[in-house]
Amino acid sequence: MPRLKDTYPLYLNNKAAQPNTDLEVTDKFTGEVAFRTALATPEIIDRAIAGAVHATEPMAKLAGYERQAVLQHCVDRFKERFDELAYALCVEAGKPIKDSEGEVTRLIDTFRIAAEESVRMYGEVMPLDISARAKGYQSIWKRVPVGPCSFISPFNFPLNLAAHKVAPAIAVGCPFVMKPASKTPLGAIIMGEVLAETDLPEGAFSILPATRDGADLFTVDERLKLLSFTGSPVVGWDLKARCGKKKVVLELGGNAAVIVDRDADLEDAIERIIFGAFYQSGQSCIGVQRIVIHENVYDRFRDMLVEKTGSLIAGDPKDRDTFIGPMISEGEAQRLKGWIDEAVDGGAKLLTGGGCKGNMLEATLLEGVHKDAKALNEEAFGPLAILQPFSDFDEALAEVNRSTFGLQAGVFTRDLFKMFDAWDRLEVGGVVINDVPSYRVDNMPYGGVKDSGLGREGIKFAMEDMTEIRNLVIRRN
Amino acid sequence: MPRLKDTYPLYLNNKAAQPNTDLEVTDKFTGEVAFRTALATPEIIDRAIAGAVHATEPMAKLAGYERQAVLQHCVDRFKERFDELAYALCVEAGKPIKDSEGEVTRLIDTFRIAAEESVRMYGEVMPLDISARAKGYQSIWKRVPVGPCSFISPFNFPLNLAAHKVAPAIAVGCPFVMKPASKTPLGAIIMGEVLAETDLPEGAFSILPATRDGADLFTVDERLKLLSFTGSPVVGWDLKARCGKKKVVLELGGNAAVIVDRDADLEDAIERIIFGAFYQSGQSCIGVQRIVIHENVYDRFRDMLVEKTGSLIAGDPKDRDTFIGPMISEGEAQRLKGWIDEAVDGGAKLLTGGGCKGNMLEATLLEGVHKDAKALNEEAFGPLAILQPFSDFDEALAEVNRSTFGLQAGVFTRDLFKMFDAWDRLEVGGVVINDVPSYRVDNMPYGGVKDSGLGREGIKFAMEDMTEIRNLVIRRN
Amino acid sequence: MPRLKDTYPLYLNNKAAQPNTDLEVTDKFTGEVAFRTALATPEIIDRAIAGAVHATEPMAKLAGYERQAVLQHCVDRFKERFDELAYALCVEAGKPIKDSEGEVTRLIDTFRIAAEESVRMYGEVMPLDISARAKGYQSIWKRVPVGPCSFISPFNFPLNLAAHKVAPAIAVGCPFVMKPASKTPLGAIIMGEVLAETDLPEGAFSILPATRDGADLFTVDERLKLLSFTGSPVVGWDLKARCGKKKVVLELGGNAAVIVDRDADLEDAIERIIFGAFYQSGQSCIGVQRIVIHENVYDRFRDMLVEKTGSLIAGDPKDRDTFIGPMISEGEAQRLKGWIDEAVDGGAKLLTGGGCKGNMLEATLLEGVHKDAKALNEEAFGPLAILQPFSDFDEALAEVNRSTFGLQAGVFTRDLFKMFDAWDRLEVGGVVINDVPSYRVDNMPYGGVKDSGLGREGIKFAMEDMTEIRNLVIRRN
Amino acid sequence: MPRLKDTYPLYLNNKAAQPNTDLEVTDKFTGEVAFRTALATPEIIDRAIAGAVHATEPMAKLAGYERQAVLQHCVDRFKERFDELAYALCVEAGKPIKDSEGEVTRLIDTFRIAAEESVRMYGEVMPLDISARAKGYQSIWKRVPVGPCSFISPFNFPLNLAAHKVAPAIAVGCPFVMKPASKTPLGAIIMGEVLAETDLPEGAFSILPATRDGADLFTVDERLKLLSFTGSPVVGWDLKARCGKKKVVLELGGNAAVIVDRDADLEDAIERIIFGAFYQSGQSCIGVQRIVIHENVYDRFRDMLVEKTGSLIAGDPKDRDTFIGPMISEGEAQRLKGWIDEAVDGGAKLLTGGGCKGNMLEATLLEGVHKDAKALNEEAFGPLAILQPFSDFDEALAEVNRSTFGLQAGVFTRDLFKMFDAWDRLEVGGVVINDVPSYRVDNMPYGGVKDSGLGREGIKFAMEDMTEIRNLVIRRN
């Protein structure tokens, strides 16, 4: 069994620093303080940004193989420290140990993909002689790093959603300052520990736990050229308004839907939907919140879902049998519990679950939820899924699109015309056929439309955002 | 000689409308009112946005060949109305007639490129089976139109900089509302007239002259999904802060520099630099404002420049011999005249020009300008260029980079190592070798870094911004 | 009604020449001589090749817009001469007039696509610094024209299959010599007439009707750098062995199959399959020869097919009501009639058709054909289709793959898993879902595997074959 | 010091087999038998091909991560066996130990690049609705493995030139049979040993030393779908004529030239040119054979070259100080010695070298060689370089192009216009600026034009050749 330390540093300009131990981080299951970390002050953040500015040119000058070596070092070290990383997630995020291991596996994937992409930043040779005035001209463009980046990452995937910012930044040669979630800073801190073993130019990275109040420089400092934020919609859109001239990437939330059509393999679908809805207590931007089921199979599928959901094991995330662990905080559990109650008050039927103790909320299924209920329209971000029947596929698509969000959607169908219709018409970043919206592989383009965000992650897509096209025009005569 | 009408309509949801004739547009050379156009009220803008929302789905459903046909119709009609379009520019912008004709030629290029690109919106098939957990999955992504767009275009290229928004929007299938510059609305209005001849879905486009005060919906209305603005930096960055959830493309200004190295062909360079500095009275985002000359050739090149500049013919833009016409307004001419005077007061030497009558400012060359002078550091956007010597190429690159702007830069050199150094190190969107920064072909990636903007235009690049990646993941078992 | 001339020239080094009138071309329906053309001698072919060599450098130097202008001129002229071109096809190929018009439409598409692609020959900027030994190196590659090309085109699409060689050659800047099919030279000759109106460099093209015996230089002359042949497999593979150092593209034949699964919309499928099987008397490389039908719908679909096939109108191709015209020659009709008889002798059931007068062979359907029969396994290239039942989709895929050919295959199904299985497993160049293998759009990648050929056409794909990658490596230190 | 075994097996269908020890392989420096390997009979080759056919489908079905794992295993094992591999090269090829180590480094690069590319085989989504007849159609294409491949690799890079076939084949999922050079089979055999440690499907690979006489199946067997040959031009072009329906990739030789312009840094150029000309005794397809020097610097550069060449240490390749080792055989040394003598007899001046003992030929420089001499026009493939003066850059380009070969060319110049001229006009696969034609990084496109071959290697380029485009067209209505 891995052990955690009592205190952890922050990383300022590539080096560990322990100016204080002001941030208490609890074990989310026991509620006890698990460890303490340093908390960055605005002055420290300012020094980190200055360091990043200083590192801009040396980072841009690194050869591809040098950037690749840094990322490969991370891959190797994450493999070596696999158990420790998983355990850290389990403690600080309350994430069931198997899911924690799954996240570490994906962390490794993410860095490996970035290592591979780091030597593949292609540019283009373009003919310019498209009209007489351009005879003798040609264009060659490449991508150059955008400069110092500001990263803010969320609590629900403390490693992999940080990795989706850190790894492409290193792959393209951008220095960065990162603020991990205050509730779960350890994943990013260990990442910093591993990066500190490399010979990245000084100032290339800082990992700075900070309170929201003290972290404004991450948003407003004009020395930072890109802000990449993963977190809640409300916070994200506010940052966009306040971030000055920066490029902005926002990976926000949603209330993802899955459609189960009448020709779906229900046995297969149920496994995936249970996973999609209740995996890490539904605390995923793409967790299944809405299950839109063809009326012909509705009753049968509801019964299957209820039975299966009722049998999920809740408890200590460190226990390998646990499927449902705690939510990130009691406040969050209460918030969602309130929505459930409100929905029931509004006429919804509670099919299973609904109970809540502290931050342990039961896996919950509702049906007959009012169209205007918060539980249906806002982001649940917890173990709640709502069943809705449909009679016509177009109607199902419209119901999915009724959301103000648009991250991913799942469709269980065998019908290729419906697959293409869904791809054409669902207002989301990704349509997943025969699986839940919750599915993601770390190289694929990932990100939302509507209120769910701006831009795409998925290494090579993130790398595009972290670079500028720089054109070279040559006139010959 | 083409003739202009007395009044012009606006275009609301594909149709001409003449609710009023409230906008007076002057002939910029004579100062007299040349024609009047309708002025859109907030209520009209609101209806246009509603129409664009309504047109979103029909626009997205247009087949490639249908979008291409619309753009080809524009190409054909612009060719037929070539002289009229050029004359309109000459009157409303005070642009010398030859330059006006050049802009119409480029307008046609821009629409033709868009017609060609409209059937080339490629997506990608991606393997997802990069790790065991993704076995049996694959990804296919395509681009879909982002939805209703908001376009604000500037006075200096009333046709072609509007075209760089309109043409790609049609190419991808986005409806749009456009606010042309109030001083030069006619180019866009004629574009609207031509578009109205096509059978684009109702609401696909509105061309709405408006006062800045009444045009806030272009910025803040959340039904609009993208804001593409070309204009001044101050306005642009403010819009970014106020535009809500929209994607933002900003094509702002700069104080572009050209380097003349000691091995340059001076005879050749002088022709291009005169063009780059004084073309349409320097009212171009990429007009040459700073000429950085190797000390070995400085004196000779300065003398050549002074002589050549002194011989430029200023006068009526309708006259084919005129090289230097009026600036867009007397206020603008006075503003720049003030900067020149301030520079001279600060120690600069006036090499030629400097005189100003009404909105006619002479082509002006300065040397010895103080490092902090407005004339050197802010955007002149008029017929002013400043000479600076350098002794070492790295020093020249640093001087170019000293600017807060970064649109394009030119380098006259034969040395390939310097060419690659400039490409690596100049903080701009484009480096032009053996020509001025003012050079642009309409298919190339074009746009700035630092204070000069966000994003790239150049049809296929603009089309990327006007679309979202929509991924399709298929799970097979 | 357009009229043809009595005699036509050949085109030698861009110019019409009439050294003789030795090639008699018949009206395929009446059998009478319709016109005569010049026939190229080996000496003339040799001069054409010399001209092409001479034109190599000037062709390579043409600017993109110049190549585009040539192709656009062709588009414009083909539109103007639409009726004449269609009539020429109808006469020389015996192609029903509606199909002839369809081919002219596609000819125009093909040249328009090429015009658009002619300014889009992109290259790539590649990082080379993937290991320490390559630090400071980078690579930029582009495509350059391969040089003089040799084209041999077939009788069944005298215009469009010639266009798929001519148009990309002009788009990339390769001179060429073309031998059109002796039975149908007129399409290519008119293309030559139109090209002769342009100012392509002398030697850029020659269109040379020739007998097979006198045409060996097209294959063996080492001054020619690429041989692109469309025609019969036997001839094609022999050319490959004899063509020396040339690159080779072979678009050969097949015995294309279509699968009709039990969930297919039979009403819809029948329209497409009748078209695919009997369009221009089945004389298409991708004509439907094998119809593989799920046993559950076999009887019903057979009856529908028999009824519909029996009602097809055969007769004079100049008549707008005619669906089935003559085959290219009596010999070809007799050859296929012999295969049908042989199949019936071997136990097959003749469902409809089978009659033959001169070169008019009836639209014919067989079932129960022996697995080894020529009619099933070799290329019918005429109005014959063979029905086969299947019980399991895997079995259907295997039956399609049993062929030695592999050009395209069609699958009528709604099942997305079957669609992806077919894409994964059918050994063909293209799988067409919900349509016949006979479907082609002129920009898509098109070409066969196994005995059906080598390489892909479809403008941008053909352009890749007609170019060489030329890399530029730069070492900086 | 690593030790070699006395005998080595062949690899038949993934397994070691020792049917005989019929192939004697000598230490190229001592001339003594170093070890013996099994020699494949035609019957064994036939079984290997049958195995490859059998492995086609299982190989195609491997997931990307499974192919990547095989390649990564090779990378890891090659690193572990680095010294042994280098020593094997040193013995069997007589390659100086430092160069042998360099080759092993590149072998590892090549497999690593392939591991990375193995999960990056992208396809494309193409709009088909370019005209009314294609409304509702779309196309998606991907690449599928071509099937069993036949590989024949040369003696001069026994590891890395075999790797350039083996690694991309595994990356795409093609089984293969490989015939390594009989004089240097050990590199490929060890590669087989490492591959045999993986769980590739049975039949995925066979490594079969064979005599040329007994190896005809590699060329003629129609079960093999692609022939990739690296070796001499005479053999290569003959194989092309005899290889039936296979796709063909030929990486043949050349008489590569480097241009030294008057503005070149001569001190820098000399280091690189000595390397390019005499590295592994010039036995490289891209070894420098012709040095074309501007007349202004000719004398000085010649003297520098002569001095430097005279000081190269020749001797035992196992000695770390050795620069010039033996040629592959006495016959080859005698052949080239004969050409040198013939050139001198024809009027050439021997500047240095020319001596020959056994297979040790001195590093040799000639000038004044007759334009028709074999030494200038044919492939030397040994330690010979010929100096030629030029007065005008165009003349230098023409001299380079006078060759019947066209693999790579080097140009030492600082002039960017000359760089672009060279890129436009040199008839080669690659132009190397400021370095010798002998430079190659293993990811870049590499291959020749004219008599130097067909196709490009460089992993992703080779992968394209080893795949077929398979299109998917979907009709929706």
Side-chain angles (χ1 to χ4, degrees), chain A residues 137 142 240 244 424 435 470, chain B residues 137 142 244 424 435 470:
Chain A
Y137 287 82
K142 63 173 178 179
K240 178 172 184 288
D424 277 356
D435 208 335
R470 188 177 292 158
Chain B
Y137 287 83
K142 63 174 178 178
D424 278 355
D435 207 335
R470 188 176 292 159

Side-chain angles (χ1 to χ4, degrees), chain A residues 337-354:
Chain A
K337 167 69 176 158
W339 294 4
I340 294 167
D341 294 345
E342 182 193 82
V344 171
D345 290 347
K349 179 170 177 191
L350 179 68
L351 296 171
T352 186

Side-chain angles (χ1 to χ4, degrees), chain C residues 57 61 102 105-106 109 112-113 124 126-131 133-135 137 139-144 225 237 240-248 268-269 272 408 412 419-420 422-435 439-451 453-456 460-461 464 468-477, chain D residues 57 61 102 105-106 109 112-113 124 126-131 133-135 137 139-144 225 237 240-248 268-269 272 408 412 419-420 422-435 439-451 453-456 460-461 464 468-477:
Chain C
E57 193 175 332
K61 279 189 174 171
T105 300
R106 289 183 55 195
D109 278 356
R112 194 189 64 235
I113 298 164
E124 190 175 67
M126 272 187 86
L128 286 188
D129 56 354
I130 60 160
S131 63
R133 65 182 279 273
K135 187 160 190 170
Y137 287 83
S139 160
I140 305 173
W141 61 260
K142 64 175 178 178
R143 293 186 175 279
V144 296
K225 299 305 178 190
W237 294 116
K240 178 171 184 290
R242 297 196 302 113
C243 71
K245 294 169 184 163
K246 292 177 194 62
K247 292 176 81 170
V248 191
D268 178 65
R272 302 303 300 158
Q408 296 204 121
F412 283 88
M419 174 177 82
F420 285 114
W423 195 25
D424 278 355
R425 292 162 56 191
L426 285 178
E427 298 160 12
V428 291
V431 174
V432 186
I433 299 299
N434 202 30
D435 207 334
Y439 190 75
R440 180 179 182 187
V441 185
D442 297 285
N443 65 335
M444 81 188 201
Y446 174 82
V449 297
K450 300 205 287 194
D451 288 1
L454 268 186
R456 293 293 178 276
K460 79 171 184 172
F461 302 92
E464 289 193 11
E468 298 276 356
I469 288 177
R470 187 177 293 158
N471 194 23
L472 178 69
V473 174
I474 304 105
R475 167 173 168 258
R476 299 162 66 189
N477 263 333
Chain D
E57 192 175 332
K61 279 190 174 171
T105 300
R106 288 183 55 195
D109 279 356
R112 195 189 65 237
I113 298 164
E124 190 176 68
M126 272 188 87
L128 286 188
D129 55 357
I130 61 160
S131 63
R133 65 183 278 273
K135 187 159 190 172
Y137 287 82
S139 159
I140 305 172
W141 60 260
K142 64 175 178 177
R143 293 187 174 279
V144 296
K225 300 305 178 190
W237 294 116
K240 178 171 184 289
R242 297 197 300 114
C243 72
K245 294 169 184 162
K246 293 178 193 61
K247 292 176 81 171
V248 190
D268 179 66
R272 303 301 301 159
Q408 297 204 125
F412 283 87
M419 175 177 83
F420 285 114
W423 195 25
D424 277 356
R425 292 163 55 190
L426 285 177
E427 299 160 10
V428 292
V431 174
V432 186
I433 300 299
N434 202 29
D435 207 335
Y439 190 75
R440 180 179 182 187
V441 185
D442 297 286
N443 65 337
M444 81 189 202
Y446 175 81
V449 297
K450 300 204 287 193
D451 289 1
L454 268 186
R456 293 293 178 275
K460 79 171 185 172
F461 303 92
E464 288 192 12
E468 297 276 358
I469 287 177
R470 187 176 293 159
N471 194 23
L472 179 68
V473 174
I474 303 105
R475 168 173 168 257
R476 298 162 65 189
N477 264 333

Side-chain angles (χ1 to χ4, degrees), chain B residues 117-169:
Chain B
E117 289 294 335
S118 63
V119 290
R120 283 174 174 73
M121 208 155 48
Y122 302 123
E124 191 175 67
V125 180
M126 272 189 87
L128 286 188
D129 56 355
I130 62 160
S131 64
R133 65 183 277 273
K135 187 161 190 170
Y137 287 83
Q138 65 190 106
S139 159
I140 305 173
W141 61 261
K142 63 174 178 178
R143 292 186 176 279
V144 296
V146 73
C149 294
S150 173
F151 296 151
I152 303 176
S153 61
F155 75 79
N156 60 331
F157 288 91
L159 284 172
N160 199 35
L161 291 184
H164 270 290
K165 303 183 191 308
V166 169

Side-chain angles (χ1 to χ4, degrees), chain A residues 299-329:
Chain A
D299 288 351
R300 184 169 152 231
F301 196 63
R302 177 194 53 205
D303 295 347
M304 290 165 73
L305 269 175
V306 170
E307 185 190 342
K308 185 86 181 177
T309 302
S311 70
L312 296 175
I313 298 174
D316 185 345
K318 298 178 197 75
D319 186 334
R320 294 211 153 259
D321 293 331
T322 295
F323 190 90
I324 301 277
M327 285 181 65
I328 193 67
S329 70

Side-chain angles (χ1 to χ4, degrees), chain C residues 327 332-356 361-366 369 373-376 380 382-386:
Chain C
M327 285 181 65
E332 277 296 286
Q334 288 304 320
R335 190 252 318 145
L336 184 54
K337 167 70 175 158
W339 292 6
I340 293 167
D341 293 346
E342 183 193 82
V344 171
D345 290 348
K349 179 169 177 191
L350 180 68
L351 295 171
T352 186
C356 185
L361 181 62
E362 291 177 2
T364 303
L365 293 174
L366 293 174
V369 174
K374 280 205 196 74
L376 189 61
L384 167 66
I386 293 167

Side-chain angles (χ1 to χ4, degrees), chain C residues 245, chain D residues 229 231-238 250-254 379 405 451-452:
Chain C
K245 294 169 184 163
Chain D
F229 169 84
S232 78
V234 173
V235 174
W237 294 116
D238 175 61
L250 299 175
E251 298 292 340
L252 310 176
E379 182 177 27
F405 296 107
D451 289 1
S452 290

Side-chain angles (χ1 to χ4, degrees), chain C residues 41 79 90 112 114 119 130 140 167 195 222 226 251 279 285 291 314 324 367 384 465 469-470:
Chain C
T41 58
K79 284 182 183 171
C90 185
R112 194 189 64 235
V119 290
I130 60 160
I140 305 173
L195 284 173
E222 287 287 15
L226 176 141
E251 298 292 341
Y279 165 70
C285 328
I291 310 172
I324 301 278
E367 71 177 352
L384 167 66
D465 275 331
I469 288 177
R470 187 177 293 158

